[in-house]
Amino acid sequence: MNASLKNTTPSHRSGALRTGLEARLIARPKGLPAPGDFEIAEVAVPDPTPGQVVVRNMFMSLDPGMLMLIAGEPGLPMPRYEVGEVMYGDAIGEVVASADPSLGEGDLVMHRLGWREYAVARAGLFRRVDRDAYPTPSTYLGFGLVAYVGLMDAAELRPGDTVFVSSAAGATGSMAGQIARLKGAARVIGSAGSRAKAAYLTEKLGFDAAFDYHDGPIADRLREAAPEGIDVYFDNVGGDQLRAAIEVMNPHGRIAVCGALNRQSKAGPDEGPGDLLGVLGKRLTIRGFTLSDHLERAPEFGAQFRSWLREGSIVHDETVIDGLANAPQALLDLVKGAYTGKTVVRLGS
Ligand SMILES: NC(=O)c1ccc[n+]([C@@H]2O[C@H](COP(=O)([O-])OP(=O)(O)OC[C@H]3O[C@@H](n4cnc5c(N)ncnc54)[C@H](OP(=O)(O)O)[C@@H]3O)[C@@H](O)[C@H]2O)c1
């Protein structure tokens, strides 16, 4: 099912006047949104005024965190989506008109003006990136950097650690497990929502062990996969996986809280980590982190990631959804577990 399609301008998609689609939130849902809470509108794309550029977006990122911006949850490190306004999110595109000397036509740029086919804004909001760095520009939207700073800064990964990653077949988790191994973890364990995804983790991504979190008590599955206990937990989920991880952690273990998929997927409160006596007794560290505090790691990570890709020592999988009109439904399908790897939307097709 698509979001409603609205035409606010005469259709000139093949004519002289450039038009493009944009997605707006039109109602703030209680609980998870429905496609009818979004509107896809065709609008005229203005020429750039001095200092501005026009960017034709090629791909935008879909991230479960967008559900919390839709719900307008308090306490998030970024502004919520406003009803009646175009939403935002990471995107990559090509400059098609420029009225600023810092960017020229044909430049590939990353920015935060997703959920639209064309972005028109001041040049400073766009960051030029290297066209030849990756086989496809969508790779720039991957969450490898999130995984990297979560492991290196929040979890303070050490060689020899046993690492557990939840939502391990997703965008961040698939990177976290592989990067942990590349950075010297002795054993990497992943959880995911189906046996097929668990098999993907061990057979394609090189995890040492993986399990379906629906398969009985999570702490039991974790103990079987890590008989010596775990030292690092990369937490994408919260809830029962966090409680199980605390139970199975070794003394002085470290937990990096990256995401909240348990609450994002049901748009309801999370039961939290439970009794904290285990945290105290084992002197555990639980540290939340957000990528925007660690952007200085980007060049170092980019160089390593490109070299791992060249050597074939890391797998970067993507699910590509075609067309902005399909993005709202795809965001819901994403948190229902329909996809693996990083989910992106191809725009303008
Ligand atoms: N801290 C930061 O700076 C930062 C940056 C980016 C993203 N994040 C957050 O990190 C988390 C992961 O993001 P992502 O883009 O990599 O998402 P993702 O893992 O690709 O997200 C989708 C997956 O969530 C899983 N899922 C849904 N409900 C679940 C539940 N109740 N329990 C366990 N798994 C569940 C599903 O996998 P299964 O099929 O395995 O259930 C689904 O495939 C999100 O919470 C996101 O908001 C944080």
Side-chain angles (χ1 to χ4, degrees):
M1 198 203 309
N2 287 350
S4 65
L5 194 60
K6 186 176 173 188
N7 199 335
T8 54
T9 61
S11 184
H12 291 293
R13 283 168 74 73
S14 54
L17 175 66
R18 192 179 271 144
T19 67
L21 299 179
E22 61 183 35
R24 304 171 190 149
L25 184 66
I26 53 171
R28 194 169 308 285
K30 288 198 171 29
L32 285 175
D37 294 328
F38 305 88
E39 173 184 83
I40 309 292
E42 184 172 11
V43 295
V45 179
D47 289 332
T49 57
Q52 284 190 329
V53 295
V54 180
V55 171
R56 181 183 66 80
N57 282 337
M58 299 157 134
F59 294 94
M60 69 172 221
S61 168
L62 278 186
D63 167 2
M66 290 167 170
L67 289 169
M68 299 205 283
L69 305 182
I70 289 168
E73 298 209 18
L76 292 173
M78 52 198 121
R80 68 181 191 173
Y81 296 149
E82 294 302 338
V83 173
E85 291 184 10
V86 189
M87 299 180 291
Y88 65 84
D90 289 346
I92 185 142
E94 182 179 50
V95 176
V96 291
S98 175
D100 190 87
S102 67
L103 289 172
E105 278 183 42
D107 281 347
L108 189 67
V109 289
M110 271 198 79
H111 59 97
R112 300 278 294 145
L113 298 171
W115 290 96
R116 67 203 85 193
E117 291 182 334
Y118 286 91
V120 184
R122 67 182 167 82
L125 294 180
F126 301 90
R127 181 167 61 87
R128 184 174 34 231
V129 294
D130 179 3
R131 221 171 235 289
D132 302 320
Y134 300 114
T136 158
S138 55
T139 309
Y140 276 109
L141 300 176
F143 279 172
L145 180 60
V146 179
Y148 187 77
V149 304
L151 289 168
M152 307 308 286
D153 296 331
E156 298 180 13
L157 181 75
R158 298 167 198 159
D161 278 344
T162 293
V163 176
F164 169 49
V165 180
S166 55
S167 196
T172 315
S174 60
M175 289 290 111
Q178 295 183 85
I179 293 170
R181 175 175 46 76
L182 287 160
K183 286 293 192 182
R187 188 165 174 76
V188 179
I189 296 141
S191 68
S194 67
R195 289 194 178 178
K197 282 191 178 179
Y200 163 78
L201 296 177
T202 51
E203 288 163 18
K204 188 162 179 205
L205 302 190
F207 282 59
D208 297 288
F211 61 89
D212 175 354
Y213 60 81
H214 301 103
D215 249 354
I218 295 167
D220 290 356
R221 297 293 80 77
L222 253 181
R223 278 197 193 91
E224 285 161 13
E228 319 258 297
I230 56 177
D231 305 300
V232 163
Y233 171 39
F234 191 100
D235 183 19
N236 279 314
V237 170
D240 47 4
Q241 302 216 41
L242 175 57
R243 288 194 293 280
I246 290 172
E247 217 179 300
V248 181
M249 289 210 83
N250 291 327
H252 303 285
R254 290 142 277 139
I255 299 175
V257 179
C258 174
L261 285 163
N262 186 44
R263 70 172 300 152
Q264 287 163 335
S265 60
K266 62 182 184 201
D270 188 305
E271 304 76 32
D275 186 345
L276 291 182
L277 196 59
V279 174
L280 182 159
K282 292 193 267 188
R283 290 84 155 167
L284 305 183
T285 303
I286 305 180
R287 185 180 290 160
F289 73 95
T290 182
L291 175 62
S292 52
D293 292 342
H294 301 267
L295 292 176
E296 76 289 349
R297 287 274 201 184
E300 158 197 336
F301 169 72
Q304 293 200 28
F305 184 49
R306 283 189 289 278
S307 120
W308 290 329
L309 283 172
R310 268 196 308 275
E311 293 162 3
S313 53
I314 199 164
V315 175
H316 182 255
D317 276 342
E318 285 180 342
T319 299
V320 180
I321 308 296
D322 264 311
L324 186 62
N326 293 319
Q329 181 62 51
L331 180 59
L332 295 168
D333 293 342
L334 168 64
V335 287
K336 286 187 195 133
Y339 311 130
T340 47
K342 174 66 197 165
T343 302
V344 296
V345 179
R346 191 186 347 246
L347 297 168
S349 46

